[in-house]
Structure formats: structure tokens, C-alpha cells
Amino acid sequence: MSQLENAIAILLQTFDDYAGKEGKKDTLTKREVKTLLEKELLLQEAKNPGEVDKLMKKLDLDGDSEVDFNEFMTLVGCLACAIHFSTI
Amino acid sequence: MSQLENAIAILLQTFDDYAGKEGKKDTLTKREVKTLLEKELLLQEAKNPGEVDKLMKKLDLDGDSEVDFNEFMTLVGCLACAIHFSTI
């Protein structure tokens, strides 16, 4: 498996790991987003419900109060771009 | 490092590895895109210049004949979504 294939496989698995905890298996509930932020990104802000609500609003592009894989990949893209452009 | 951090780190490294081969260090030339497609995604179509041109047009959102990190992440997002939604 190449680097790129490996990274994509990890993203797919990460999403499935958290989306599978409760509710629909193919979306992240607010609680699953909170857990993902705390565990995967060590974001202390995720302990603040208000902050999670704010991020959910930004991620939840279709307004269904959940984060689907498309919306998750938007988060990943934003994070990766923020890191990339902060290091050049 | 968490799963998600690891995946993002791999994406950052993969882009840098290929963008660094020629031209500007922070963009992929057409040749670098071709090499990336062949090596990272084992795309046989990448041997066909016409196919690479087609993909470049789709990826090169700002029309500068190169693929920057934003545009690379769009490719990654599309690939990941195609795989995710084909497996549910």
C-alpha cells in the first residue's frame, strides 16, 4: 500500500471508528464529534459544549445535526491546509 | 500521535515528497502529478498524457497549470469519499 493509500485508509477507519459508537453508523453525532476532537486532536476546547456546538455548525453543511463523511473530509482538509500553510 | 494526526502527517509528507521533485517546492507540476498518480495510486491511465491533462484541468482550480496543496487535498477528499461511499 502506498503512502497516499495508507493515509486514506486511516481516514476511512478513523471515521468508521467514531461514527460507529452510537446512532447511525455512517454519521458522527455531536457526542461522537466531541470524542473524536478530544481523542484524535487532543483539543481541550472540545470539553466546552459551546465550542463543540460552534464547530458542529461549521461542519454540518447540510444542517442535519450530524457530520457525514463528506463533512468529515472537509474538516480533515482544513486541518491539513492549516498545518501545511503554517509551515511554509 | 493519533490516527487522524498520523494520516494528516502522511498526506503532508506525500505532497512535499512529490512537490519537491522539480519546479516550485510548494506545487505539483504536471509531471509531478503524473508520477504521484503512477506511484501512489498505481493508475495505469497516468501513462496516457491525455488522461493526465484531463485530471490536471479538474484539479487546477486556480488555472495556474500547477496543483497546490489545497487542490491536492481536493483530490484526496474525492478519492476518500469515492471509496467510503462505494463501501456502504
Side-chain angles (χ1 to χ4, degrees), chain A residues 16-36:
Chain A
D16 287 348
D17 288 349
Y18 288 87
K21 291 183 187 296
E22 66 174 11
K24 288 189 280 182
K25 296 299 167 226
D26 189 35
T27 57
L28 295 165
T29 62
K30 189 164 84 173
R31 184 160 38 191
E32 289 169 334
V33 168
K34 181 178 186 304
T35 308
L36 185 148

PDB file of all heavy atoms in Angstrom, chain A residues 16-36:
ATOM      1  N   ASP A  16     -14.968   5.636  10.607  1.00  0.00           N
ATOM      2  CA  ASP A  16     -15.820   4.491  10.968  1.00  0.00           C
ATOM      3  C   ASP A  16     -15.734   4.181  12.466  1.00  0.00           C
ATOM      4  O   ASP A  16     -16.744   3.849  13.091  1.00  0.00           O
ATOM      5  CB  ASP A  16     -15.420   3.259  10.147  1.00  0.00           C
ATOM      6  CG  ASP A  16     -15.843   3.367   8.691  1.00  0.00           C
ATOM      7  OD1 ASP A  16     -16.640   4.290   8.368  1.00  0.00           O
ATOM      8  OD2 ASP A  16     -15.369   2.552   7.871  1.00  0.00           O
ATOM      9  N   ASP A  17     -14.542   4.310  13.018  1.00  0.00           N
ATOM     10  CA  ASP A  17     -14.379   4.019  14.455  1.00  0.00           C
ATOM     11  C   ASP A  17     -15.282   4.910  15.300  1.00  0.00           C
ATOM     12  O   ASP A  17     -15.917   4.448  16.251  1.00  0.00           O
ATOM     13  CB  ASP A  17     -12.918   4.225  14.881  1.00  0.00           C
ATOM     14  CG  ASP A  17     -11.993   3.140  14.339  1.00  0.00           C
ATOM     15  OD1 ASP A  17     -12.507   2.122  13.809  1.00  0.00           O
ATOM     16  OD2 ASP A  17     -10.762   3.323  14.427  1.00  0.00           O
ATOM     17  N   TYR A  18     -15.329   6.202  14.960  1.00  0.00           N
ATOM     18  CA  TYR A  18     -16.105   7.136  15.785  1.00  0.00           C
ATOM     19  C   TYR A  18     -17.577   7.140  15.386  1.00  0.00           C
ATOM     20  O   TYR A  18     -18.453   7.223  16.256  1.00  0.00           O
ATOM     21  CB  TYR A  18     -15.498   8.538  15.718  1.00  0.00           C
ATOM     22  CG  TYR A  18     -14.203   8.622  16.474  1.00  0.00           C
ATOM     23  CD1 TYR A  18     -12.988   8.303  15.862  1.00  0.00           C
ATOM     24  CD2 TYR A  18     -14.183   8.928  17.832  1.00  0.00           C
ATOM     25  CE1 TYR A  18     -11.797   8.317  16.575  1.00  0.00           C
ATOM     26  CE2 TYR A  18     -12.998   8.939  18.556  1.00  0.00           C
ATOM     27  CZ  TYR A  18     -11.806   8.646  17.916  1.00  0.00           C
ATOM     28  OH  TYR A  18     -10.620   8.646  18.630  1.00  0.00           O
ATOM     29  N   ALA A  19     -17.856   7.019  14.096  1.00  0.00           N
ATOM     30  CA  ALA A  19     -19.260   7.040  13.647  1.00  0.00           C
ATOM     31  C   ALA A  19     -20.015   5.812  14.135  1.00  0.00           C
ATOM     32  O   ALA A  19     -21.242   5.836  14.266  1.00  0.00           O
ATOM     33  CB  ALA A  19     -19.305   7.108  12.125  1.00  0.00           C
ATOM     34  N   GLY A  20     -19.255   4.759  14.441  1.00  0.00           N
ATOM     35  CA  GLY A  20     -19.903   3.513  14.847  1.00  0.00           C
ATOM     36  C   GLY A  20     -20.286   3.449  16.312  1.00  0.00           C
ATOM     37  O   GLY A  20     -20.880   2.476  16.770  1.00  0.00           O
ATOM     38  N   LYS A  21     -19.945   4.483  17.081  1.00  0.00           N
ATOM     39  CA  LYS A  21     -20.155   4.419  18.531  1.00  0.00           C
ATOM     40  C   LYS A  21     -21.631   4.506  18.899  1.00  0.00           C
ATOM     41  O   LYS A  21     -22.101   3.839  19.813  1.00  0.00           O
ATOM     42  CB  LYS A  21     -19.351   5.526  19.221  1.00  0.00           C
ATOM     43  CG  LYS A  21     -17.834   5.317  19.159  1.00  0.00           C
ATOM     44  CD  LYS A  21     -17.076   6.402  19.910  1.00  0.00           C
ATOM     45  CE  LYS A  21     -15.562   6.280  19.705  1.00  0.00           C
ATOM     46  NZ  LYS A  21     -15.003   5.032  20.248  1.00  0.00           N
ATOM     47  N   GLU A  22     -22.394   5.371  18.243  1.00  0.00           N
ATOM     48  CA  GLU A  22     -23.824   5.489  18.571  1.00  0.00           C
ATOM     49  C   GLU A  22     -24.576   5.997  17.346  1.00  0.00           C
ATOM     50  O   GLU A  22     -23.958   6.474  16.395  1.00  0.00           O
ATOM     51  CB  GLU A  22     -24.042   6.458  19.739  1.00  0.00           C
ATOM     52  CG  GLU A  22     -23.679   7.897  19.398  1.00  0.00           C
ATOM     53  CD  GLU A  22     -24.038   8.892  20.497  1.00  0.00           C
ATOM     54  OE1 GLU A  22     -24.386   8.466  21.600  1.00  0.00           O
ATOM     55  OE2 GLU A  22     -23.974  10.099  20.229  1.00  0.00           O
ATOM     56  N   GLY A  23     -25.880   5.916  17.376  1.00  0.00           N
ATOM     57  CA  GLY A  23     -26.695   6.441  16.266  1.00  0.00           C
ATOM     58  C   GLY A  23     -26.358   5.750  14.963  1.00  0.00           C
ATOM     59  O   GLY A  23     -25.935   4.588  14.929  1.00  0.00           O
ATOM     60  N   LYS A  24     -26.576   6.469  13.875  1.00  0.00           N
ATOM     61  CA  LYS A  24     -26.327   5.887  12.552  1.00  0.00           C
ATOM     62  C   LYS A  24     -24.830   5.577  12.398  1.00  0.00           C
ATOM     63  O   LYS A  24     -23.984   6.339  12.844  1.00  0.00           O
ATOM     64  CB  LYS A  24     -26.790   6.843  11.453  1.00  0.00           C
ATOM     65  CG  LYS A  24     -28.321   6.944  11.329  1.00  0.00           C
ATOM     66  CD  LYS A  24     -28.737   7.731  10.086  1.00  0.00           C
ATOM     67  CE  LYS A  24     -28.632   9.230  10.317  1.00  0.00           C
ATOM     68  NZ  LYS A  24     -29.052  10.054   9.205  1.00  0.00           N
ATOM     69  N   LYS A  25     -24.552   4.472  11.704  1.00  0.00           N
ATOM     70  CA  LYS A  25     -23.161   4.031  11.580  1.00  0.00           C
ATOM     71  C   LYS A  25     -22.384   4.884  10.582  1.00  0.00           C
ATOM     72  O   LYS A  25     -21.168   4.750  10.471  1.00  0.00           O
ATOM     73  CB  LYS A  25     -23.120   2.557  11.134  1.00  0.00           C
ATOM     74  CG  LYS A  25     -23.724   1.588  12.135  1.00  0.00           C
ATOM     75  CD  LYS A  25     -22.996   1.620  13.470  1.00  0.00           C
ATOM     76  CE  LYS A  25     -23.760   0.910  14.572  1.00  0.00           C
ATOM     77  NZ  LYS A  25     -23.802   1.725  15.818  1.00  0.00           N
ATOM     78  N   ASP A  26     -23.091   5.712   9.833  1.00  0.00           N
ATOM     79  CA  ASP A  26     -22.392   6.443   8.768  1.00  0.00           C
ATOM     80  C   ASP A  26     -22.362   7.950   8.988  1.00  0.00           C
ATOM     81  O   ASP A  26     -22.077   8.732   8.090  1.00  0.00           O
ATOM     82  CB  ASP A  26     -23.067   6.140   7.411  1.00  0.00           C
ATOM     83  CG  ASP A  26     -22.228   6.709   6.265  1.00  0.00           C
ATOM     84  OD1 ASP A  26     -20.977   6.691   6.410  1.00  0.00           O
ATOM     85  OD2 ASP A  26     -22.803   7.212   5.290  1.00  0.00           O
ATOM     86  N   THR A  27     -22.697   8.352  10.203  1.00  0.00           N
ATOM     87  CA  THR A  27     -22.564   9.781  10.508  1.00  0.00           C
ATOM     88  C   THR A  27     -22.034   9.931  11.936  1.00  0.00           C
ATOM     89  O   THR A  27     -22.184   9.022  12.755  1.00  0.00           O
ATOM     90  CB  THR A  27     -23.931  10.492  10.415  1.00  0.00           C
ATOM     91  OG1 THR A  27     -24.840   9.840  11.300  1.00  0.00           O
ATOM     92  CG2 THR A  27     -24.472  10.490   9.001  1.00  0.00           C
ATOM     93  N   LEU A  28     -21.474  11.097  12.189  1.00  0.00           N
ATOM     94  CA  LEU A  28     -20.986  11.406  13.538  1.00  0.00           C
ATOM     95  C   LEU A  28     -22.029  12.258  14.239  1.00  0.00           C
ATOM     96  O   LEU A  28     -22.428  13.307  13.730  1.00  0.00           O
ATOM     97  CB  LEU A  28     -19.672  12.191  13.445  1.00  0.00           C
ATOM     98  CG  LEU A  28     -18.467  11.478  12.852  1.00  0.00           C
ATOM     99  CD1 LEU A  28     -17.378  12.483  12.490  1.00  0.00           C
ATOM    100  CD2 LEU A  28     -17.911  10.430  13.819  1.00  0.00           C
ATOM    101  N   THR A  29     -22.469  11.806  15.412  1.00  0.00           N
ATOM    102  CA  THR A  29     -23.351  12.635  16.232  1.00  0.00           C
ATOM    103  C   THR A  29     -22.478  13.704  16.907  1.00  0.00           C
ATOM    104  O   THR A  29     -21.235  13.627  16.855  1.00  0.00           O
ATOM    105  CB  THR A  29     -23.999  11.782  17.335  1.00  0.00           C
ATOM    106  OG1 THR A  29     -22.938  11.260  18.177  1.00  0.00           O
ATOM    107  CG2 THR A  29     -24.815  10.638  16.746  1.00  0.00           C
ATOM    108  N   LYS A  30     -23.119  14.644  17.571  1.00  0.00           N
ATOM    109  CA  LYS A  30     -22.345  15.690  18.257  1.00  0.00           C
ATOM    110  C   LYS A  30     -21.414  15.049  19.295  1.00  0.00           C
ATOM    111  O   LYS A  30     -20.246  15.423  19.416  1.00  0.00           O
ATOM    112  CB  LYS A  30     -23.278  16.706  18.923  1.00  0.00           C
ATOM    113  CG  LYS A  30     -22.531  17.910  19.463  1.00  0.00           C
ATOM    114  CD  LYS A  30     -23.442  19.065  19.768  1.00  0.00           C
ATOM    115  CE  LYS A  30     -24.078  18.935  21.143  1.00  0.00           C
ATOM    116  NZ  LYS A  30     -24.844  20.144  21.543  1.00  0.00           N
ATOM    117  N   ARG A  31     -21.943  14.059  20.012  1.00  0.00           N
ATOM    118  CA  ARG A  31     -21.116  13.406  21.028  1.00  0.00           C
ATOM    119  C   ARG A  31     -19.908  12.685  20.391  1.00  0.00           C
ATOM    120  O   ARG A  31     -18.806  12.716  20.909  1.00  0.00           O
ATOM    121  CB  ARG A  31     -21.950  12.405  21.840  1.00  0.00           C
ATOM    122  CG  ARG A  31     -21.112  11.789  22.970  1.00  0.00           C
ATOM    123  CD  ARG A  31     -21.902  11.170  24.098  1.00  0.00           C
ATOM    124  NE  ARG A  31     -23.111  10.474  23.662  1.00  0.00           N
ATOM    125  CZ  ARG A  31     -24.041  10.048  24.520  1.00  0.00           C
ATOM    126  NH1 ARG A  31     -23.911  10.301  25.816  1.00  0.00           N
ATOM    127  NH2 ARG A  31     -25.119   9.401  24.117  1.00  0.00           N
ATOM    128  N   GLU A  32     -20.139  12.082  19.233  1.00  0.00           N
ATOM    129  CA  GLU A  32     -19.034  11.392  18.545  1.00  0.00           C
ATOM    130  C   GLU A  32     -18.002  12.398  18.044  1.00  0.00           C
ATOM    131  O   GLU A  32     -16.796  12.139  18.087  1.00  0.00           O
ATOM    132  CB  GLU A  32     -19.595  10.542  17.397  1.00  0.00           C
ATOM    133  CG  GLU A  32     -20.353   9.316  17.886  1.00  0.00           C
ATOM    134  CD  GLU A  32     -21.146   8.611  16.806  1.00  0.00           C
ATOM    135  OE1 GLU A  32     -21.536   9.257  15.808  1.00  0.00           O
ATOM    136  OE2 GLU A  32     -21.400   7.392  16.956  1.00  0.00           O
ATOM    137  N   VAL A  33     -18.473  13.562  17.577  1.00  0.00           N
ATOM    138  CA  VAL A  33     -17.544  14.617  17.147  1.00  0.00           C
ATOM    139  C   VAL A  33     -16.713  15.064  18.351  1.00  0.00           C
ATOM    140  O   VAL A  33     -15.490  15.203  18.269  1.00  0.00           O
ATOM    141  CB  VAL A  33     -18.309  15.822  16.550  1.00  0.00           C
ATOM    142  CG1 VAL A  33     -17.388  17.033  16.373  1.00  0.00           C
ATOM    143  CG2 VAL A  33     -18.929  15.432  15.212  1.00  0.00           C
ATOM    144  N   LYS A  34     -17.371  15.240  19.497  1.00  0.00           N
ATOM    145  CA  LYS A  34     -16.692  15.680  20.723  1.00  0.00           C
ATOM    146  C   LYS A  34     -15.600  14.668  21.107  1.00  0.00           C
ATOM    147  O   LYS A  34     -14.454  15.056  21.365  1.00  0.00           O
ATOM    148  CB  LYS A  34     -17.703  15.813  21.849  1.00  0.00           C
ATOM    149  CG  LYS A  34     -17.160  16.295  23.197  1.00  0.00           C
ATOM    150  CD  LYS A  34     -18.306  16.421  24.202  1.00  0.00           C
ATOM    151  CE  LYS A  34     -17.897  17.026  25.525  1.00  0.00           C
ATOM    152  NZ  LYS A  34     -16.790  16.307  26.192  1.00  0.00           N
ATOM    153  N   THR A  35     -15.951  13.400  21.072  1.00  0.00           N
ATOM    154  CA  THR A  35     -14.982  12.349  21.434  1.00  0.00           C
ATOM    155  C   THR A  35     -13.817  12.333  20.449  1.00  0.00           C
ATOM    156  O   THR A  35     -12.655  12.245  20.825  1.00  0.00           O
ATOM    157  CB  THR A  35     -15.675  10.975  21.438  1.00  0.00           C
ATOM    158  OG1 THR A  35     -16.845  11.040  22.244  1.00  0.00           O
ATOM    159  CG2 THR A  35     -14.743   9.897  21.958  1.00  0.00           C
ATOM    160  N   LEU A  36     -14.133  12.482  19.158  1.00  0.00           N
ATOM    161  CA  LEU A  36     -13.085  12.494  18.124  1.00  0.00           C
ATOM    162  C   LEU A  36     -12.119  13.655  18.361  1.00  0.00           C
ATOM    163  O   LEU A  36     -10.899  13.499  18.321  1.00  0.00           O
ATOM    164  CB  LEU A  36     -13.712  12.586  16.747  1.00  0.00           C
ATOM    165  CG  LEU A  36     -12.794  12.490  15.535  1.00  0.00           C
ATOM    166  CD1 LEU A  36     -13.521  11.816  14.369  1.00  0.00           C
ATOM    167  CD2 LEU A  36     -12.281  13.846  15.072  1.00  0.00           C
TER     168      LEU A  36
END
